[in-house]
Amino acid sequence: MLIPIAMIIMGFVYNRYPPYNSNVDPKAGYRSRRSMQSKESWDYAHRILARLYTRTAIVWGLVLYFAKRILPYDPGSMSLVFGAISVLLLLMPIPVTELLLKRKFGS
């Protein structure tokens, strides 16, 4: 449950308080070649990533909560599987954000 909680917090922070600088900040935030092309792409990337993290984390948190109470498997085995899925879900919004940046701003 720690990864979904961390994703919700990060989504909230990026949504409410995105890394702000008059220019793109090379030290903080979601840094990729596309997101750092302009201030507009920087802001867009942070809005998209925040929404994806928040939505993914809420759904995954609910799945984890109910699965741990319903499934009759060993808690240690379930934690290993759920931990691996959590890491994948933590990384999943990155290619989606890049795809949306490419559609909106081109190469």
Side-chain angles (χ1 to χ4, degrees):
M1 288 294 286
L2 290 178
I3 291 178
I5 291 169
M7 288 174 69
I8 289 171
I9 292 169
M10 194 159 54
F12 174 77
V13 169
Y14 273 177
N15 196 32
R16 287 292 294 244
Y17 310 104
Y20 177 75
N21 196 343
S22 57
N23 296 318
V24 174
D25 189 354
K27 297 177 187 151
Y30 176 73
R31 298 177 311 273
S32 72
R33 205 173 327 171
R34 276 197 186 95
S35 70
M36 295 176 70
Q37 284 180 347
S38 68
K39 180 71 173 135
E40 184 183 359
S41 64
W42 178 259
D43 292 338
Y44 180 75
H46 283 88
R47 270 194 319 273
I48 294 300
L49 193 66
R51 288 180 191 151
L52 288 172
Y53 268 165
T54 304
R55 291 174 185 169
T56 302
I58 290 171
V59 170
W60 182 236
L62 290 172
V63 168
L64 280 175
Y65 177 80
F66 289 112
K68 286 188 175 189
R69 277 144 185 76
I70 295 172
L71 296 177
Y73 297 108
D74 173 46
S77 301
M78 284 179 35
S79 292
L80 183 64
V81 171
F82 289 152
I85 294 170
S86 292
V87 170
L88 290 175
L89 290 175
L90 179 66
L91 299 174
M92 183 200 62
I94 295 171
V96 174
T97 302
E98 286 299 309
L99 178 67
L100 293 173
L101 279 168
K102 185 176 181 179
R103 283 185 186 167
K104 182 162 180 145
F105 298 102
S107 298

